[in-house]
Amino acid sequence: MAGAAPVEIVEVGPRDGYQGIVPFIPTATKLDLLCRLVGAGLRRVEIGSFVSPTALPQMSDTAEVLAACDGIEGLVPQVLVPNRKWGVAALDAGSRFLAFVLSVSESHNRNNVRRYPRESVEEYARLVETLPEGVDLRLNIATAFDCPFEGRVPEEATLDLLEWLVPLRPDCEICLCDTTGRADPAHVERLFGAAMARFPGSRRWALHAHDTYGLGLANIHVAWRLGVGVFDSSFAGLGGCPFAPGATGNVATEDVAWMFGRMGVETGIDLDRLVPVACDGAAIPGGLSGGRVRQALTAVR
Amino acid sequence: MAGAAPVEIVEVGPRDGYQGIVPFIPTATKLDLLCRLVGAGLRRVEIGSFVSPTALPQMSDTAEVLAACDGIEGLVPQVLVPNRKWGVAALDAGSRFLAFVLSVSESHNRNNVRRYPRESVEEYARLVETLPEGVDLRLNIATAFDCPFEGRVPEEATLDLLEWLVPLRPDCEICLCDTTGRADPAHVERLFGAAMARFPGSRRWALHAHDTYGLGLANIHVAWRLGVGVFDSSFAGLGGCPFAPGATGNVATEDVAWMFGRMGVETGIDLDRLVPVACDGAAIPGGLSGGRVRQALTAVR
């Protein structure tokens, strides 16, 4: 695989990893870890979300973290937003890269962002209209494969939702999210294959894989084979799974970096620098960590 | 993938999982777990090894376990042997399925079976000559991808060793073993692709994957795509990695069963029955467990 195009790993630990942790992580700790993640070669980092501070108190300092990002060279901060209102708040706070999240399955979308999927599409349409020039945007399609309430999501349901969304901004980065971790390699191959064929104008495709059932890397590998070039992951595998208490959630950044590194595919990540950050991430009080490479490399060294 | 050919999962926990555990597991406990593994749908089980009881005291009751296997309906007991002498001992004890192990890399073979690889080839040749009709045999090619002492093993080295071995029994099942867990999907694809093309007479190809770096399932999936149909795994991911103390070793049987199950590929395994056995396996004193599915399904239930 020498000579393969580089892949982009989007570090989502500071959002997806932290959000479920109950003791508030001091903003200074978040900034320290963020600097070290960038120092390990990560560029795009989902640094937080603009959401109700009542719903997710851990994310209440996102504006403060975002403001500090200007001082971190090389960092491309991305923030998650669940609707137009919070999207505008993110823009007002200076965000230049928004990730708009909605779910394919009605029950998850209502549970997560308190709207029917069609209402979220309208929110997205209005956000796109008001988006200033030069602001980047991605779509996070939650429950694209499987829903904690409804089980396996039919591929047509995901494609139908994309039929509504894609024309609103045809070149938008599209991230298919395995919210429950129950996607399997065959499913990933079928859905990405169909979506990439149907929406050839999308500039970038991304996969947000969870590792709850151990399939994070297998799913990423299959997607990569199809031409997907952007992968979300969380340092130390921070994240957990709210629907399987005690089980791990996000695929670990160090595991993804290890796989591509062994395959000769460039990620820009320096594992020697990332592993110590991951060890500190795993030690965050209240955090639930996962992944294999951190443990394996720490044991070897 | 509906309609795909079934795969065979070889449960190696009772050998590869137990062998590194220091407190002796009572033979009665081993037999109880073995019965329950077979009850969960596993058929071929590597129930132990015929090796020096000084080197691996945990395996010293293999003859006793083997004798009891006659009473377990549906079980195909396989035993590991490191040379001709122990192979004959296994046959004398009534074994009908031997796995002969040798390593591609000289340093690992000398460390593991105290011979140069060419000496092991001669041991294998002599064992094949004395093998009674109806006894099944597989070759376990250790360090086929990577060696704990020498690092990445060149593909040609593995293929060269097979050039010596295969003609001695052309239809033998060949299992390529990722001893360190450092194989990656691209490497698995290249080596199996080359080996299967070069030795088309081999009846069955198998992969013994480790999950030390999280790549067990990704590697199995890639091998399966190439037509490999036999996969070793260990219930509860029991095994550890002697070269990375504290890190997990074998890929977990329940994780492999989950992946194929989600993909619609038949394994014969009943996860509802396997997970409780895996939970008990993970509780064996001194054992090192791994895998994701056990934890995820236990959390959900």
Side-chain angles (χ1 to χ4, degrees):
Chain A
M1 292 295 156
V7 298
E8 182 178 12
I9 297 183
V10 180
E11 172 57 53
V12 299
R15 196 277 303 171
D16 206 9
Y18 295 170
Q19 69 180 13
I21 297 177
V22 171
F24 188 77
I25 305 165
T27 307
T29 304
K30 289 176 180 167
L31 291 174
D32 173 59
L33 289 166
L34 185 55
C35 285
R36 292 169 62 205
L37 288 166
V38 176
L42 287 152
R43 288 293 165 259
R44 190 171 6 150
V45 180
E46 196 162 273
I47 56 120
S49 56
F50 282 83
V51 291
S52 155
T54 320
L56 286 176
Q58 187 64 262
M59 297 287 102
S60 61
D61 62 350
T62 297
E64 201 180 331
V65 174
L66 180 65
C69 288
D70 283 343
I72 305 175
E73 205 184 318
L75 170 62
V76 178
Q78 170 181 304
V79 298
L80 192 83
V81 299
N83 56 37
R84 182 185 170 279
K85 183 188 92 176
W86 285 110
V88 169
L91 294 169
D92 289 346
S95 178
R96 308 291 288 166
F97 205 136
L98 306 185
F100 183 93
V101 62
L102 78 171
S103 314
V104 178
S105 58
E106 182 180 309
S107 52
H108 189 265
N109 206 58
R110 296 194 71 185
N111 186 276
N112 202 38
V113 300
R114 318 237 168 264
R115 280 166 179 76
Y116 288 95
R118 269 310 296 275
E119 295 175 299
S120 285
V121 172
E122 282 164 31
E123 293 275 341
Y124 175 71
R126 291 171 60 212
L127 180 62
V128 165
E129 278 169 19
T130 56
L131 214 63
E133 194 73 30
V135 171
D136 216 332
L137 184 65
R138 70 136 63 172
L139 271 167
N140 273 10
I141 310 295
T143 68
F145 301 91
D146 187 82
C147 168
F149 310 111
E150 301 176 25
R152 193 181 282 243
V153 171
E155 280 133 64
E156 273 310 314
T158 302
L159 296 169
D160 285 351
L161 184 67
L162 289 176
E163 290 280 7
W164 290 108
L165 292 163
V166 172
L168 300 169
R169 189 172 161 117
D171 68 345
C172 189
E173 175 175 298
I174 298 171
C175 182
L176 302 183
C177 303
D178 179 19
T179 306
T180 63
R182 295 166 70 99
D184 64 77
H187 193 171
V188 168
E189 188 165 18
R190 281 196 310 273
L191 183 57
F192 269 105
M196 292 166 87
R198 199 180 293 186
F199 308 103
S202 293
R203 191 163 31 110
R204 284 187 306 251
W205 290 90
L207 170 62
H208 179 99
H210 276 207
D211 200 36
T212 314
Y213 298 81
L215 282 168
L217 292 182
N219 289 338
I220 288 173
H221 179 254
V222 162
W224 174 78
R225 288 286 296 265
L226 286 175
V228 175
V230 182
F231 301 99
D232 289 3
S233 59
S234 179
F235 73 115
L238 280 171
C241 175
F243 308 104
T248 53
N250 287 284
V251 64
T253 303
E254 54 276 16
D255 289 18
V256 182
W258 170 270
M259 177 176 77
F260 283 119
R262 291 292 289 185
M263 290 168 58
V265 177
E266 186 57 56
T267 63
I269 292 175
D270 179 346
L271 266 176
D272 287 333
R273 296 184 73 175
L274 179 59
V275 168
V277 193
C279 289
D280 288 349
I284 292 174
L288 200 57
S289 59
R292 286 277 177 268
V293 166
R294 171 173 48 87
Q295 209 177 4
L297 291 184
T298 311
V300 167
R301 278 158 196 194
Chain B
M1 292 296 157
V7 298
E8 182 179 12
I9 297 183
V10 180
E11 172 57 54
V12 299
R15 197 276 303 170
D16 205 10
Y18 295 170
Q19 69 177 15
I21 297 178
V22 171
F24 188 76
I25 305 165
T27 307
T29 304
K30 288 176 180 167
L31 290 174
D32 173 60
L33 289 166
L34 184 55
C35 284
R36 292 168 64 204
L37 288 167
V38 175
L42 287 152
R43 287 294 166 259
R44 192 174 0 154
V45 180
E46 197 163 273
I47 55 119
S49 55
F50 282 83
V51 292
S52 155
T54 320
L56 286 176
Q58 187 65 261
M59 297 287 103
S60 60
D61 62 351
T62 296
E64 200 180 333
V65 174
L66 180 65
C69 287
D70 282 343
I72 305 174
E73 204 185 319
L75 171 61
V76 178
Q78 170 182 302
V79 299
L80 191 82
V81 299
N83 55 39
R84 182 184 170 279
K85 182 187 93 176
W86 285 109
V88 169
L91 293 169
D92 289 347
S95 178
R96 309 290 289 166
F97 206 136
L98 306 185
F100 182 93
V101 63
L102 78 171
S103 314
V104 179
S105 58
E106 182 181 309
S107 52
H108 190 266
N109 206 57
R110 296 195 69 186
N111 186 276
N112 202 38
V113 300
R114 317 237 168 265
R115 280 166 179 77
Y116 287 95
R118 269 310 296 275
E119 294 176 298
S120 285
V121 172
E122 282 164 32
E123 294 276 340
Y124 176 71
R126 291 171 60 212
L127 180 63
V128 166
E129 278 170 19
T130 57
L131 213 63
E133 194 73 30
V135 171
D136 216 331
L137 184 65
R138 70 137 63 170
L139 271 166
N140 273 10
I141 310 294
T143 68
F145 301 91
D146 187 83
C147 169
F149 310 113
E150 301 175 23
R152 194 181 283 242
V153 171
E155 280 134 65
E156 272 312 314
T158 302
L159 296 170
D160 285 350
L161 184 66
L162 289 176
E163 291 280 8
W164 290 107
L165 293 163
V166 173
L168 300 170
R169 188 172 162 116
D171 68 345
C172 188
E173 175 175 297
I174 299 170
C175 181
L176 301 182
C177 303
D178 180 18
T179 306
T180 63
R182 294 165 71 100
D184 63 78
H187 193 171
V188 168
E189 187 166 19
R190 280 196 311 273
L191 183 57
F192 269 104
M196 293 167 88
R198 201 181 293 187
F199 308 103
S202 294
R203 191 164 31 110
R204 285 187 304 250
W205 290 90
L207 170 62
H208 179 99
H210 276 207
D211 200 36
T212 315
Y213 297 82
L215 282 167
L217 293 181
N219 289 338
I220 288 172
H221 179 254
V222 162
W224 173 79
R225 288 287 297 264
L226 286 174
V228 175
V230 182
F231 300 99
D232 289 3
S233 59
S234 179
F235 74 114
L238 279 171
C241 175
F243 308 104
T248 52
N250 286 285
V251 64
T253 303
E254 54 276 16
D255 289 18
V256 182
W258 169 269
M259 177 175 78
F260 283 119
R262 290 293 288 184
M263 289 168 59
V265 177
E266 186 57 55
T267 63
I269 291 174
D270 179 346
L271 266 176
D272 287 333
R273 298 183 72 175
L274 179 59
V275 167
V277 194
C279 289
D280 288 350
I284 292 174
L288 200 57
S289 60
R292 287 275 177 269
V293 165
R294 172 173 47 89
Q295 208 178 6
L297 291 185
T298 311
V300 166
R301 279 156 197 198

